[in-house]
């Protein structure tokens, strides 16, 4: 099973196919395991990847769920191609690009 490490957290991902990368993000706290159908479907045209966010699936557990969990997930996965059927990741990407309100 493939993993990568970011900021000291070991993150699990699944991948299939070759070509341009397409990252399929699970919604809320679900797992990449829920996207095997999407990986198979897009794998004939793309290098399809789905990851388990921090604290989910086969990725490292986290002790507490921070209020900015979605923003942390965005940082773990930024600068990639995205496909998603949940509102969380696109919302998080938009919020992460806004300047701080201080």
């Amino acid at each position: 099973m493939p993993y990568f490490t970011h900021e000291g957290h070991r993150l699990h991902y699944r991948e299939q196919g070759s070509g341009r990368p397409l990252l399929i993000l699970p919604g809320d706290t679900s797992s990449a395991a829920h996207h095997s159908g999407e990986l198979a479907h897009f794998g004939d045209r793309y290098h399809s990847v789905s990851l388990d966010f921090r604290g989910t699936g086969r990725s490292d557990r986290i002790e507490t769920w921070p209020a900015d969990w979605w923003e942390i997930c965005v940082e773990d996965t930024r600068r990639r191609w995205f496909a998603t059927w949940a509102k969380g990741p696109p919302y998080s990407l938009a919020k992460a690009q806004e300047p701080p309100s201080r």
Side-chain angles (χ1 to χ4, degrees), residues 35-81:
H35 293 289
S36 59
E38 289 88 345
L39 290 171
H41 175 78
F42 291 111
D44 64 344
R45 295 182 306 265
Y46 300 98
H47 176 199
S48 302
V49 179
S50 186
L51 91 116
D52 293 331
F53 294 125
R54 293 181 190 195
T56 68
R58 294 183 176 179
S59 290
D60 283 350
R61 300 286 135 235
I62 52 178
E63 291 183 26
T64 59
W65 290 87
D68 61 347
W69 182 78
W70 274 119
E71 287 82 3
I72 292 169
C73 294
V74 168
E75 181 61 29
D76 288 340
T77 58
R78 68 186 190 139
R79 297 181 195 228
R80 308 275 184 152
W81 290 89

